[in-house]
């Protein structure tokens, strides 16, 4: 690390130009190539996946996205002459728009079922040529504008709303506001921490360059593999948080070197050689946790894992290459004017932990049992809602009340029943008259099945070799009763018909996706936790440190899940925050959250314990190591946590429900981790365990390879302090606490 830092300082112009070239080159390539995101929830081998495949192979017109135009009138009926004329003309205009394949009107011969029983609500289906991911936003906007014109030019009281995936493209809000707010808050915190505007700008600049490069790279990645549309936002959310934090830790160490009288180049080199090691190690744990999603073998999550990992990798690379180059350009201005003046007048002075941080560290040392108990109680309360976690997929019924998609959803539910917003699709191959008769009998059985509100007529393809029909449940798409209906159709109703019919549709595909994820979740969590513990075992050569880290990380994840369940599933304040109505938690959210949260939690564990480890290697005194490590790192950890929390919470303003879930979950996890676990529960436990924190069986120590994140001088001290196993289990009686 020292060699790398030295080279970057000596060739600082080359390093800066290379990073700017990478940013400009990837951004230009992404602008030319455009985006190609895909939210493919299909899990390989599931029944819903087979149903989709059959539809694609046998019904070409069903391949495009299907959206809905809904209109409602109270003082009249949708069959009134003026309403019918207005909407018929509107639907004809929509059918003539570019990209629209067909429009199914309720005023056609087959559209009688698209008018509600009371006659006040009707809907038309608009089918596009392509799926929503491939539809240009301007084409979707043209459909919305045409439909909304009917409301302004039609009879009084006519309310026209639109729903569907393509329509949702027109409601997407830009994330730029949330990005700007997060960066501004981070800049303010950095300025308050450093007292130097120039020093505060460095972590921001480093993070923006690396995250900007990664963002453009994710756009290009979407052309090579399946990448969800929220992956760039997730990568930016994580990248800004960890990127600013990593740079903060290195700049803080660099400033300490300057205050000790080191030349600028030497201070930058030593900052990377010491703190930079912890940054690389922490970044590696985040990437390993993220790449653990590959174990699930779901293309939808593979793209997310690689996209987020690339972002973290680039932030680490920028922190240990671009940052020291910029620090050498900045010179002594990394210190505030007051600090530079004091250094010139009094010379280098030893920097001892003082103030609130030192008093807090001493307070934890005196009351480890009490404070540990309080921390456990807080974590338990926050985590309790996790016990009622319900996985499912939110839909446009969870959108804010003011959105046209939410209003269309509610109008359809009120006029036709909640199940119309999530119909099921039964599709089958047909071989002769016997299969046709069986299909007719199946349709009759479906109409009398408990939980079914309506069944559409059977539709055959051109040569009658395949057919499908739609089933509208009596319950909402997110309801457990709808999921129960899917199971009942698959296990009882369809098999009784003798047909090899596949049950698909949005609700069925979401249920299948959630089932696949839940089934693989234990393997995934075990692999992520196990690999993280192995890395900590190699780094700190202790059994206690990785076990405590795993427990703390699981606690942070549980607390974050608890808050997410309370806000999004129970609806505590979700409407007030503009996040829409309560609903289930996305099935992929636990996987991504475990990956990201486990990685971020490891960051603070590494930065806190690595400083304690340095002190332990030098003195062999556990009490001193814990106290000094906490006193010297708590301030910078808390500053870093405030920055991360600000960045994550700012993304709640993005208007995207999934990104808001991530933002709140990550913010809660970081707050719990920094202010409860790492500065309270972890040091309290380490005081209670004493020298056992650092115990490692001698036989295991001999076979483990050495991965060092402590400075070279501490490794030398460790070699002098090698002691038998039994002596590691008690405090060293030869070392006196000089700080008392």
């Amino acid at each position: 690390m020292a060699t790398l830092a030295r080279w970057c300082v000596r060739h600082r112009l080359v390093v800066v130009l290379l990073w700017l070239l990478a940013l400009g080159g990837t951004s230009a390539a992404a602008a030319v190539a455009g985006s190609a995101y895909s939210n493919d929830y299909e899990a390989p081998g599931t029944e819903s996946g087979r149903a989709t495949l059959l539809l694609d192979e046998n019904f070409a017109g069903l391949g495009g996205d299907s959206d809905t135009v809904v209109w409602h009138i109270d003082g009249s009926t949708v069959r009134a002459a003026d309403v019918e004329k207005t909407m018929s003309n509107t639907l004809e205009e929509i059918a003539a728009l570019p990209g629209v394949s067909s429009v199914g009107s309720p005023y056609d011969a087959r559209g009688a079922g698209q008018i509600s029983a009371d006659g006040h609500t009707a809907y038309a289906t608009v089918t596009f040529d392509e799926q929503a991911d491939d539809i240009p936003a301007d084409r979707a906007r043209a459909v919305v504008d045409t439909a909304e014109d009917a409301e302004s030019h039609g009879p009084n009281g006519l309310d026209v709303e639109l729903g569907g995936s393509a329509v949702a493209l027109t409601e997407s809000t830009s994330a730029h506001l949330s990005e700007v707010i997060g960066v501004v808050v981070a800049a303010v915190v950095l300025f308050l921490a450093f007292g130097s505007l120039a020093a505060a700008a460095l972590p921001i600049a480093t993070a923006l360059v690396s995250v900007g490069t990664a963002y453009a790279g994710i756009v290009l990645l979407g052309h090579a593999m399946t990448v969800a549309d929220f992956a760039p936002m997730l990568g930016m959310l994580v990248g800004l948080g960890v990127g600013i934090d990593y740079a903060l830790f290195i700049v803080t160490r660099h400033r300490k070197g300057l205050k000790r009288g080191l030349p600028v180049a030497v201070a930058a080199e030593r900052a990377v050689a010491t703190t930079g090691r912890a940054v690389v190690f922490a970044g590696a744990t985040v990437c390993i946790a993220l790449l653990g999603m590959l174990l699930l073998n779901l293309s939808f999550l593979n793209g997310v894992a690689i996209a987020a990992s690339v972002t973290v990798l680039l932030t680490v690379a920028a922190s240990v290459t671009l940052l020291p180059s910029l620090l050498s350009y900045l010179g002594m201005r990394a210190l505030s004017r007051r600090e530079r003046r004091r250094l010139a007048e009094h010379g280098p002075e030893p920097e001892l932990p003082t103030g609130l941080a030192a008093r807090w560290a001493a307070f934890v040392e005196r009351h480890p049992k009490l404070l540990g108990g309080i921390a456990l109680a807080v974590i338990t309360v926050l985590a309790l809602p996790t016990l009622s976690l319900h996985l499912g997929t939110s839909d446009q019924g969870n959108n804010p009340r003011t959105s046209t998609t939410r209003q269309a959803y509610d109008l359809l539910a009120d006029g036709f029943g909640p199940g119309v917003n999530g119909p099921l699709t039964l599709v089958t191959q047909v071989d002769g008259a016997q299969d046709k008769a069986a299909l007719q009998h199946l349709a009759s059985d479906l109409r009398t099945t408990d939980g079914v509100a309506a069944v559409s007529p059977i539709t055959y393809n051109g040569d009658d070799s395949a057919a499908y029909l739609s089933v509208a449940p009596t319950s909402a798409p997110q309801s457990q009763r709808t999921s129960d209906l899917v199971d009942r159709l698959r296990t009882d109703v369809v098999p009784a018909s003798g047909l090899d019919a596949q049950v698909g549709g949005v609700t069925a595909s979401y249920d299948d996706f959630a089932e696949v994820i839940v089934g693989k979740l234990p393997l995934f969590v075990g692999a992520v936790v196990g690999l993280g513990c192995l890395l900590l075992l190699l780094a700190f050569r202790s059994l206690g440190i990785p076990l405590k880290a795993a427990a703390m990380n699981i606690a942070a994840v549980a607390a974050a899940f608890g808050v997410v369940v309370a806000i999004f599933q129970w609806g505590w304040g979700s409407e007030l925050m503009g996040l829409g109505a309560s609903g289930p938690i996305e099935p992929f959210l636990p996987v991504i959250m475990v990956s990201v949260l486990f990685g971020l939690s490891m960051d603070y564990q590494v930065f806190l314990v690595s400083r304690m480890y340095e002190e332990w290697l030098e003195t062999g005194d556990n009490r001193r190591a814990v106290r000094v490590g906490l006193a010297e790192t708590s301030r910078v950890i808390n500053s870093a946590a405030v920055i991360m929390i600000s960045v994550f919470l700012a993304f709640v303003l993005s208007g995207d429900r999934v990104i808001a879930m991530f933002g709140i979950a990550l913010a809660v996890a970081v707050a719990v981790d920094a202010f409860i676990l790492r500065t309270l529960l972890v040091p309290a436990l380490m005081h209670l365990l004493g020298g056992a924190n650092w115990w490692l069986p001698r036989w295991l120590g001999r076979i483990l390879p050495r991965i060092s994140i402590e400075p070279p001088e501490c490794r030398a001290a460790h070699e002098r302090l090698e002691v038998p196993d039994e002596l590691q289990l008690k405090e060293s009686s030869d070392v006196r606490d000089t700080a008392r």
Side-chain angles (χ1 to χ4, degrees):
M1 294 299 293
T3 303
L4 175 63
R6 192 178 307 116
W7 189 92
C8 291
V9 170
R10 290 177 179 174
H11 303 85
R12 57 189 184 182
L13 180 59
V14 174
V15 174
V16 172
L17 290 178
L18 285 175
W19 272 103
L20 293 179
L21 179 63
L23 175 61
T26 53
S27 299
V32 172
S35 62
Y37 305 126
S38 175
N39 292 335
D40 182 11
Y41 289 93
E42 295 294 346
T46 61
E47 184 167 336
S48 59
R50 293 192 294 271
T52 301
L53 185 61
L54 278 175
L55 284 173
D56 291 340
E57 291 176 348
N58 296 282
F59 300 91
L62 296 179
D65 185 67
S66 181
D67 292 65
T68 308
V69 179
V70 188
W71 57 98
H72 175 83
I73 191 166
D74 285 325
S76 179
T77 69
V78 295
R79 293 188 179 90
D82 53 350
V83 176
E84 182 172 346
K85 180 180 179 181
T86 298
M87 294 311 303
S88 294
N89 292 337
T90 299
L91 296 179
E92 290 177 3
E93 293 179 26
I94 292 175
L97 291 174
V100 176
S101 173
S102 64
V103 175
S105 171
Y107 303 121
D108 294 339
R110 292 171 58 91
Q114 296 169 224
I115 298 177
S116 63
D118 60 9
H120 292 301
T121 307
Y123 71 90
T125 55
V126 179
T127 304
F128 287 86
D129 294 334
E130 300 175 299
Q131 288 294 331
D133 296 326
D134 301 317
I135 298 173
D138 58 337
R139 292 189 175 181
R141 170 53 64 186
V143 173
V144 173
D145 292 341
T146 303
E148 289 178 346
D149 284 343
E151 183 175 320
S152 57
H153 296 96
N156 292 335
L158 179 63
D159 181 17
V160 181
E161 306 294 344
L162 297 96
S165 301
V167 174
L169 297 174
T170 66
E171 295 182 325
S172 299
T173 56
S174 173
H176 296 318
L177 175 62
S178 56
E179 297 165 20
V180 170
I181 292 176
V183 170
V184 168
V185 173
V188 171
V189 175
L190 288 170
F191 178 73
L192 294 176
F194 293 151
S196 166
L197 186 60
L202 284 189
I204 301 292
T206 304
L208 289 179
V209 170
S210 58
V211 171
T213 305
Y215 188 95
I218 294 171
V219 173
L220 297 175
L221 183 66
H223 293 274
M225 63 185 304
T226 301
V227 176
D229 57 2
F230 63 83
M233 283 282 288
L234 177 64
M236 184 174 296
L237 187 151
V238 176
L240 282 177
V242 301
I244 294 174
D245 270 15
Y246 291 166
L248 167 64
F249 289 124
I250 292 177
V251 171
T252 300
R253 192 72 172 233
H254 173 74
R255 283 164 44 84
K256 287 184 178 181
L258 294 180
K259 292 177 183 179
R260 293 170 182 165
L262 296 177
V264 173
V266 176
E269 175 189 328
R270 292 192 180 179
V272 174
T274 53
T275 305
R277 292 173 179 271
V279 165
V280 172
F281 187 84
T285 61
V286 176
C287 289
I288 287 175
L290 289 168
L291 292 175
M293 284 188 277
L294 298 178
L295 294 173
L296 299 175
N297 194 29
L298 294 172
S299 59
F300 176 78
L301 293 178
N302 291 348
V304 174
I306 294 176
S309 299
V310 167
T311 305
V312 174
L313 181 64
L314 287 176
T315 59
V316 172
S319 298
V320 298
T321 57
L322 178 61
L323 186 56
S325 303
L326 296 177
L327 287 171
S328 66
Y329 273 118
L330 192 61
M332 296 300 295
R333 285 176 296 167
L335 300 177
S336 66
R337 291 181 180 178
R338 182 174 59 85
E339 290 170 331
R340 295 199 299 269
R341 188 164 52 247
R342 181 177 181 84
L343 183 62
E345 293 175 356
H346 302 282
E349 298 177 351
E351 188 174 357
L352 299 175
T354 57
L356 180 61
R359 292 195 297 271
W360 174 254
F363 183 69
V364 174
E365 182 183 10
R366 292 194 300 270
H367 308 285
K369 292 182 180 179
L370 172 64
L371 297 177
I374 293 174
L376 282 174
V378 173
I379 295 296
T380 302
V381 171
L382 290 176
L384 280 176
T386 306
L387 298 176
S388 64
L389 175 67
H390 170 55
L391 295 181
T393 301
S394 58
D395 53 30
Q396 294 179 345
N398 300 110
N399 290 354
R401 287 195 180 97
T402 55
S403 65
T404 185
T405 49
R406 167 70 180 276
Q407 293 179 30
Y409 187 99
D410 291 343
L411 285 175
L412 285 173
D414 292 340
F416 301 90
V420 74
N421 284 299
L424 305 175
T425 302
L426 274 70
V427 57
T428 182
Q429 298 280 6
V430 178
D431 185 14
Q434 185 175 356
D435 282 355
K436 286 187 176 181
L439 191 56
Q440 291 288 351
H441 190 268
L442 173 61
S444 299
D445 288 344
L446 287 171
R447 292 185 178 93
T448 59
T449 299
D450 184 35
V452 173
V455 179
S456 73
I458 300 171
T459 301
Y460 292 90
N461 64 349
D463 59 0
D464 287 358
S465 63
Y468 78 91
L469 52 84
S470 296
V471 176
T474 57
S475 50
Q478 300 170 3
S479 172
Q480 182 60 45
R481 288 184 296 165
T482 304
S483 297
D484 294 340
L485 174 62
V486 172
D487 294 337
R488 189 159 57 251
L489 293 180
R490 288 175 171 175
T491 58
D492 297 331
V493 180
V494 172
S497 70
L499 293 170
D500 185 22
Q502 310 296 312
V503 179
V506 175
T507 303
S509 64
Y510 287 161
D511 285 350
D512 289 344
F513 186 74
E515 184 177 350
V516 170
I517 287 182
V518 171
K520 296 183 177 182
L521 200 57
L523 170 64
F524 164 73
V525 174
V528 170
V529 173
L531 287 173
C533 288
L534 178 60
L535 281 176
L536 290 180
L537 175 64
L538 296 175
F540 297 113
R541 306 188 70 77
S542 158
L543 290 179
I545 297 300
L547 292 177
K548 283 197 295 292
M552 297 302 105
N553 295 342
I554 292 173
V557 170
F561 270 122
V563 174
V564 167
V565 168
I567 293 176
F568 292 93
Q569 184 176 315
W570 294 354
W572 290 6
S574 59
E575 289 283 7
L576 292 176
M577 291 186 285
L579 302 177
S582 61
I585 306 303
E586 304 292 333
F588 55 82
L589 191 72
V591 174
I592 300 177
M593 278 175 56
V594 166
S595 296
V596 177
L597 296 182
F598 195 86
L600 295 181
S601 296
M602 286 296 229
D603 282 358
Y604 293 143
Q605 177 77 1
V606 169
F607 290 119
L608 173 65
V609 178
S610 61
R611 181 63 191 94
M612 295 177 178
Y613 192 44
E614 288 181 29
E615 195 69 23
W616 164 256
L617 293 180
E618 291 178 2
T619 66
D621 186 339
N622 179 74
R623 293 173 66 87
R624 174 181 172 81
V626 175
R627 186 180 64 254
V628 171
L630 178 61
E632 291 190 3
T633 61
S634 61
R635 185 168 179 264
V636 68
I637 285 178
N638 291 340
S639 298
V642 171
I643 292 172
M644 267 199 183
I645 293 168
S646 304
V647 171
F648 294 155
L649 287 180
F651 277 80
V652 176
L653 303 175
S654 67
D656 187 293
R657 180 182 174 87
V658 174
I659 293 297
M661 280 188 186
F662 285 129
I664 290 177
L666 294 176
V668 170
V670 170
V672 167
D673 200 286
F675 300 117
I676 299 178
L677 298 178
R678 308 302 165 186
T679 57
L680 181 54
L681 187 55
V682 168
L685 287 175
M686 294 187 75
H687 278 304
L688 292 173
L689 292 174
N693 288 303
W694 315 103
W695 178 73
L696 182 72
R698 181 174 292 276
W699 65 269
L700 184 57
R702 284 195 298 267
I703 64 176
L704 283 179
R706 290 184 177 272
I707 298 180
S708 220
I709 61 173
E710 72 275 3
E713 58 269 21
C714 289
R715 292 200 301 273
H718 176 54
E719 293 172 359
R720 295 192 301 270
L721 277 171
E722 287 286 354
V723 292
D725 294 347
E726 61 271 12
L727 294 183
Q728 294 186 43
L729 295 174
K730 60 186 180 62
E731 301 290 337
S732 174
S733 59
D734 300 326
V735 180
R736 294 291 179 253
D737 187 358
T738 57
R740 288 187 177 179

